[in-house]
Amino acid sequence: MTWDWDYAREVLPKLLEGLLVTFEATVVGSLIAYVLGLVFAFIRRSRIPVLSQVVWLFVEFVRSTPLLVQVFFLYYVLQPELGLLWTSFLTGSIALGVHYACYTAEVYRAGIDAIPVGQWEAATALSLPRSRVWLGVILPQAVPRVLPALGNYTISMFKETPLLIAIGVVDLVGEARGVGAQSYRYVEPFTIAGLLFLLLSYPASILVRRLERRVNRQH
Amino acid sequence: MFDNFGFFFPRILEGLPQTVYATLGGIALTIVLALVAGLAMLSRLRVVRFVARVYVEAFRGTSEVVQLFWIYLVVPILVGFQVVPLAAGIAVLGLNHGAYGAEIVRGAVQSVPKAQVEGAVALNFTPAQRLRRVVLPQAFVEMLPPFNNLFIQLLKSTALLFFINVPEMTRQVEVLRPNFGESLATMYGIILVLYLLLAIVITGVMRWLERAAARRLGRRPPSRTSALAKVSAGGVG
């Protein structure tokens, strides 16, 4: 079986439509992961009894179990149980976001731990209020340092989005599977899908590496 | 909720061996590919370095689900025969994680102090002896913690074999789903706990290896920390 250029050109628009969905899920998931991860890191650090341990257990549990099963659990069990009417896209993006928040929490924690003790001491000596210490002193120093790591997680999230086809999200791979099933020709759609992933994630990872080098030079 | 427990629990457990085979097969292939590609990336020959680089970037740059479909649906068309789903799954797990592992191997070998190699040269070791007796034993200790993370990622990825109908745990629950909708929470709970236990087993074995390897080098064994997986930054890459 040979490569059919006409067929490849024919399926490309559909695949690009799917790519847009993949993008959207990655963006929504990333935003959730960035915010929720910071919240998790805060709770762990504040050492609020019970809540802190619950978050720790949750984070470890989520990181040790497959995302796909978590997606199913959220879609088939938790979401109907709570009486929500989320679409499969929304459910999937939220699952992605929460899963990756458990990774970004660790990134934020490491970033905050890397702030020299002197900064905390100086903030205390100036008797800055708690909120100013965080928003004015600690986070402005910690966040730039963790940006490359957050970027890496966004790239890996982009590559994990296709598993949302299991709950019916029609993303790039969903489209590839769809057009492949219609014509019984899988070679072109899946090869193009793979190349599109490579075409986007490879330059993105180079950009992140460059950012990493710049951040390292500054500190 | 627990009415049909006696019925579906054995069914789910039937998927456990498949998950374990996929994990072990994937880990074995990962180790081989990571070592070969990792050392190839440090080769003096430009062609060898280039080939290894292409392999690593191709598998790290694309989605694992795409790779799975590609090997399961496209490769049979190209070569002309159908692949057993579990074999296709193990191949993808190994190829994908082997690419990530290659970077770990490369980094670990590079982290061995240069003086160690120079010392081995001065002692008239052959290149093979240098690698086997001096560089790899030291690099090995460095590799173990990141490989622990990688193997746990691999274990979690076995759930993706669901897509190519390997009867592993996630697929078993999917088969039961239409008839036991009211027990879904329990069923997912069971497999999540089983995955967690498998992850703890992997971490336990790797910790034991870490201590053994450190002792062999005459270093102090690393301290025992949390028994749960510490999947650090860049684990999924």
Side-chain angles (χ1 to χ4, degrees), chain B residues 131-172:
Chain B
L131 191 66
R132 218 172 69 79
R133 300 276 175 198
V134 179
V135 176
L136 280 186
Q138 295 183 57
F140 186 61
V141 184
E142 298 293 318
M143 286 177 210
L144 288 173
F147 264 112
N148 185 8
N149 295 338
L150 189 67
F151 293 158
I152 286 168
Q153 296 292 349
L154 190 146
L155 165 70
K156 296 196 293 176
S157 291
T158 59
L160 297 181
L161 303 195
F162 157 92
F163 286 114
I164 57 168
N165 300 325
V166 176
E168 45 74 58
M169 296 197 291
T170 310
R171 171 53 62 183
Q172 292 295 93

Side-chain angles (χ1 to χ4, degrees), chain A residues 35-208:
Chain A
V35 175
L36 194 62
L38 190 58
V39 172
F40 283 167
F42 260 130
I43 295 174
R44 289 282 296 135
R45 223 197 139 78
S46 60
R47 302 214 172 77
I48 304 165
V50 184
L51 186 63
S52 178
Q53 279 83 351
V54 169
V55 168
W56 176 80
L57 258 182
F58 180 77
V59 166
E60 294 293 335
F61 186 77
V62 168
R63 295 207 306 188
S64 300
T65 51
L67 173 58
L68 182 62
V69 183
Q70 293 162 10
V71 169
F72 281 145
F73 187 80
L74 191 65
Y75 190 63
Y76 292 126
V77 180
L78 209 57
Q79 193 233 129
E81 198 78 17
L82 296 173
L84 301 165
L85 291 168
W86 289 346
T87 59
S88 54
F89 173 82
L90 189 61
T91 315
S93 308
I94 290 173
L96 271 176
V98 173
H99 184 84
Y100 275 87
C102 294
Y103 287 90
T104 53
E106 196 65 17
V107 170
Y108 282 119
R109 192 194 56 74
I112 293 167
D113 282 354
I115 303 295
V117 195
Q119 298 287 325
W120 292 96
E121 289 168 352
T124 312
L126 292 167
S127 60
L128 290 180
R130 211 82 199 114
S131 58
R132 280 284 304 278
V133 176
W134 278 106
L135 296 174
V137 181
I138 303 302
L139 286 182
Q141 294 184 74
V143 169
R145 284 184 215 220
V146 300
L147 280 181
L150 294 182
N152 273 330
Y153 280 124
T154 293
I155 297 173
S156 43
M157 193 189 293
F158 173 60
K159 287 179 289 183
E160 281 211 85
T161 312
L163 61 79
L164 300 187
I165 61 177
I167 54 167
V169 176
V170 185
D171 73 334
L172 173 53
V173 180
E175 290 283 6
R177 196 159 72 153
V179 295
Q182 270 170 24
S183 55
Y184 292 104
R185 288 192 67 109
Y186 288 104
V187 183
E188 291 86 357
F190 279 119
T191 309
I192 295 172
L195 287 175
L196 283 174
F197 270 108
L198 193 62
L199 217 62
L200 291 164
S201 69
Y202 187 60
S205 67
I206 290 175
L207 279 180
V208 168

Side-chain angles (χ1 to χ4, degrees), chain B residues 30 97 100-108 111 139-154 202 206-207 210 230-236:
Chain B
T30 296
H97 293 86
Y100 287 100
E103 286 287 5
I104 297 175
V105 171
R106 187 183 62 89
S111 78
F140 186 61
V141 184
E142 298 293 318
M143 286 177 210
L144 288 173
F147 264 112
N148 185 8
N149 295 338
L150 189 67
F151 293 158
I152 286 168
Q153 296 292 349
L154 190 146
I202 292 177
M206 294 300 282
R207 287 279 156 81
E210 257 172 72
K230 273 275 178 288
V231 185
S232 63
V236 238

